[in-house]
Amino acid sequence: MVPIDVWDYRASGTTDEGGLEVKELFGEAVFDNPKPTRLIRRMLDLTTSGQPGDVVLDFFAGSGTTAHAVLDLNKEDGGNRKFICVQLPEETPADSEARKAGYATIAAIGRARIRKVIEQMNAEQVAQLPLQPWPTLGFRAFTLASSNFKIWRGD
């Protein structure tokens, strides 16, 4: 029996759509094949309530699509989801668009994306008449300290 696909790409998006999102934010394609925000938002709709205490963990954060989706969904439904995104400082290829744009690691791309999304949301809010106070958006970025384990060192 062939399994039925319940994740229709028309409702969930494609990596082409994810690539366009990144290109719109950065002005160039600094990340190959990012997940579409729409797909992650759909997954969050199914698994979170938006109430305080919802924490979304993305242990392979890549370009930061999950953080982007959490911020978008909170804006849309007034939720209070938090996110934890983990990305090891994997270097971008030397000849890549990301490296040419100044992003030495994939983690740097993710941090920049989150900053850009927050800047856009704040700019949109400033342009509107505030009927309710706009929450302060932000995030913290931590760096893994050096380790005695060779596989965890950045070299």
Side-chain angles (χ1 to χ4, degrees):
M1 179 191 253
V2 177
I4 298 172
D5 184 4
V6 296
W7 292 94
D8 185 0
Y9 74 91
R10 290 170 293 217
S12 303
T14 64
T15 54
D16 288 342
E17 180 181 319
L20 287 174
E21 291 172 349
V22 168
K23 194 169 185 177
E24 285 176 11
L25 280 172
F26 288 89
E28 54 197 320
V30 296
F31 196 84
D32 294 333
N33 303 315
K35 297 177 290 290
T37 304
R38 204 161 39 129
L39 170 66
I40 306 304
R41 285 181 57 177
R42 182 169 183 202
M43 293 166 56
L44 293 172
D45 272 337
L46 295 171
T47 58
T48 65
S49 65
Q51 301 299 315
D54 282 348
V55 179
V56 178
L57 173 64
D58 184 353
F59 204 73
F60 298 97
S63 70
T65 303
T66 300
H68 188 164
V70 169
L71 290 165
D72 277 353
L73 197 55
N74 282 345
K75 177 184 168 191
E76 180 182 300
D77 68 7
N80 192 22
R81 297 165 193 85
K82 308 261 187 265
F83 58 86
I84 299 172
C85 295
V86 179
Q87 178 61 52
L88 293 176
E90 181 181 339
E91 289 188 4
T92 55
D95 60 341
S96 67
E97 292 299 317
R99 184 65 66 94
K100 291 174 190 170
Y103 301 108
T105 64
I106 292 174
I109 295 170
R111 287 190 303 271
R113 180 176 185 172
I114 296 167
R115 282 186 192 98
K116 289 176 183 294
V117 169
I118 289 172
E119 286 171 9
Q120 276 186 347
M121 289 183 171
N122 286 334
E124 289 170 7
Q125 187 61 27
V126 168
Q128 296 178 5
L129 179 64
L131 300 176
Q132 297 178 2
W134 177 248
T136 303
L137 298 177
F139 72 102
R140 292 186 182 125
F142 298 95
T143 303
L144 185 64
S146 62
S147 172
N148 290 332
F149 294 102
K150 183 176 177 158
I151 62 169
W152 290 64
R153 292 194 310 239
D155 58 5

